[in-house]
Amino acid sequence: GLRMKLEGFSSREWFRKVRCIGFFHSITALIFLISGVGAQHEAEARRYFLKSKTAAMTSQFDSAHVYLDKSLALYQQSADMGGLMDCTLQRAVIFHREGEHYKVLPLLDSLLATPSSSEPKYLTKTAGAYNILGGSQADLGDRPRALASFSKALQLGRELFPPGHPVTTGTLVNVG
């Protein structure tokens, strides 16, 4: 039972997660992993996350925040770093669309300071974070910092995607 649940989950990856999110969350994640509850929580977290995105796209920001809070709580219980990063990016997008750029800056600065943001499997999210950060910096009138953020997003985009990919071309438009 336990061996099958842990199959494909290396001890190196587990201990990296322990360092990144703390001992308590890691123990909680292990309990969920062993019991099989983790997958259910992650599916429910993803549903709330998608509801948040839909609400934000239709400018229903209060609902978007509520759904995102529910998603975030479930991702924290399952210690899903990708889900936690998605929630942070979504929160930044909501704040950006609300015009609350001053809330975006510390949120994304904090995300980009985490060790996980430089892991290869999260680099697409990191590029997105730099792009959103650059947009908020530009809207606040800080053009030099915006250009630096867009440049980092573009550099990552060029490493991750083929030429002409929408992510890379979107960042090129932002750079000017």
Side-chain angles (χ1 to χ4, degrees):
L2 174 60
R3 186 173 188 85
M4 288 183 65
K5 297 273 186 191
L6 296 176
E7 189 173 299
F9 198 76
S10 72
S11 60
R12 176 184 285 171
E13 184 177 359
W14 178 254
F15 286 111
R16 190 175 324 132
K17 286 185 178 194
V18 169
R19 285 194 313 264
C20 292
I21 53 182
F23 182 74
F24 177 74
H25 284 127
S26 298
I27 294 300
T28 304
L30 181 60
I31 292 167
F32 282 122
L33 183 67
I34 292 168
S35 67
V37 175
Q40 293 169 350
H41 274 72
E42 288 181 31
E44 188 176 357
R46 193 74 190 158
R47 279 192 298 277
Y48 282 125
F49 178 80
L50 294 174
K51 286 182 177 186
S52 174
K53 283 186 85 161
T54 301
M57 287 189 292
T58 58
S59 299
Q60 298 173 13
F61 300 121
D62 290 338
S63 295
H65 283 294
V66 168
Y67 288 130
L68 194 59
D69 289 340
K70 291 178 181 183
S71 178
L72 184 60
L74 290 166
Y75 279 130
Q76 285 172 334
Q77 287 179 358
S78 64
D80 180 330
M81 288 306 297
L84 292 171
M85 288 180 81
D86 283 342
C87 286
T88 302
L89 288 172
Q90 178 63 14
R91 181 82 68 198
V93 167
I94 295 168
F95 285 148
H96 184 82
R97 293 202 58 209
E98 288 177 306
E100 297 188 43
H101 305 291
Y102 62 93
K103 291 182 178 179
V104 173
L105 303 181
L107 189 64
L108 292 180
D109 283 340
S110 173
L111 173 72
L112 293 168
T114 63
S116 298
S117 68
S118 61
E119 290 183 27
K121 64 183 175 182
Y122 298 128
L123 286 179
T124 302
K125 297 173 193 312
T126 301
Y130 278 118
N131 210 17
I132 297 164
L133 182 62
S136 287
Q137 290 165 332
D139 289 344
L140 289 169
D142 192 350
R143 304 277 186 236
R145 285 185 65 203
L147 184 58
S149 294
F150 287 139
S151 296
K152 288 178 185 175
L154 183 59
Q155 178 186 1
L156 286 171
R158 285 182 171 157
E159 292 172 14
L160 296 169
F161 305 111
H165 191 277
V167 170
T168 308
T169 55
T171 304
L172 276 172
V173 168
N174 290 333
V175 170

